[in-house]
Amino acid sequence: MTSRWLMEVEKIRSVQVTWSIMSLAVLNEGRDLPPDYRDLMDRAWGPVRVLIAARQAHGDQVIKPLYDALGERIHHQANKDYDAVIAEALAEVGLPAELAAAATSTEYDEALTASHERAISLVGDEVGTPVIAVDGIAFFGPVISPAPKGETAGRLWDGCVLVAGTPGFYELKRTRTTGPIFDTEA
């Protein structure tokens, strides 16, 4: 949702987003997790490995379209067959099917960890995703649903700029009362 919001912000504010590939699998590596969540984290390596492989082979410009194609299938369509998700997403964005092999290869783990660490180094390791940085100040969030559009998206961005420019600001948080709300427009 945050990525969708940022794409909207780019339309109405003078903002250029740089995408880093983060992974909860990397963040949670080595942590004691409940078995069902551990299984989810183990499976989460595949899609982000493919993202890294695609970026290395085809450049940064493929990150967001492939991320969106993967996310649409995993989160919006609730497809848990990650092999199918990856194959369909690669086809949708016109990338070679051979990139799917990266999902089960550790060849890209060093680059994935480095990309993840780029974002975590800005904000600290007591957070998850998303991480945004504004004028050199980074924080976790915003976690939003649904993704705001138009001037509402711009006002939320303006608030992020405001808190990033406030010395000593660290955190806002409340309990989530709803799951992701997807609209049909990307």
Side-chain angles (χ1 to χ4, degrees):
M1 295 300 169
T2 303
S3 72
R4 290 173 184 227
W5 161 67
L6 284 170
M7 295 301 292
E8 190 74 12
V9 170
E10 279 190 317
K11 294 176 189 174
I12 60 173
R13 295 292 190 268
S14 182
V15 173
Q16 183 177 4
V17 176
T18 301
W19 301 101
S20 289
I21 300 169
M22 292 187 69
S23 171
L24 289 175
V26 173
L27 184 70
N28 287 304
E29 190 173 29
R31 293 184 180 177
D32 186 25
L33 303 171
D36 58 331
Y37 195 66
R38 168 58 49 211
D39 179 57
L40 180 63
M41 291 300 99
D42 289 347
R43 292 172 15 108
W45 284 92
V48 292
R49 285 172 171 157
V50 172
L51 276 165
I52 290 289
R55 181 179 74 185
Q56 286 182 358
H58 300 280
D60 288 341
Q61 70 276 7
V62 302
I63 295 173
K64 183 66 166 94
L66 183 55
Y67 173 82
D68 287 347
L70 291 163
E72 169 66 22
R73 287 160 177 79
I74 293 169
H75 301 295
H76 194 187
Q77 297 173 12
N79 188 342
K80 303 302 179 205
D81 180 351
Y82 282 13
D83 291 339
V85 163
I86 291 166
E88 291 170 11
L90 289 169
E92 177 183 320
V93 299
L95 291 170
E98 295 77 33
L99 287 169
T104 56
S105 171
T106 59
E107 176 183 349
Y108 300 95
D109 290 1
E110 187 176 324
L112 171 57
T113 300
S115 180
H116 178 87
E117 288 300 322
R118 176 185 173 270
I120 290 296
S121 71
L122 297 171
V123 73
D125 63 359
E126 296 176 11
V127 300
T129 63
V131 169
I132 65 169
V134 179
D135 296 329
I137 304 296
F139 45 89
F140 165 65
V143 176
I144 50 178
S145 187
K149 300 217 179 308
E151 189 53 30
T152 302
R155 285 195 314 270
L156 178 55
W157 174 256
D158 297 342
C160 290
V161 172
L162 177 65
V163 298
T166 303
F169 171 81
Y170 294 99
E171 182 175 0
L172 288 171
K173 186 159 176 108
R174 68 179 177 166
T175 300
R176 294 181 207 178
T177 58
T178 187
I181 300 169
F182 297 97
D183 58 23
T184 55
E185 299 175 29

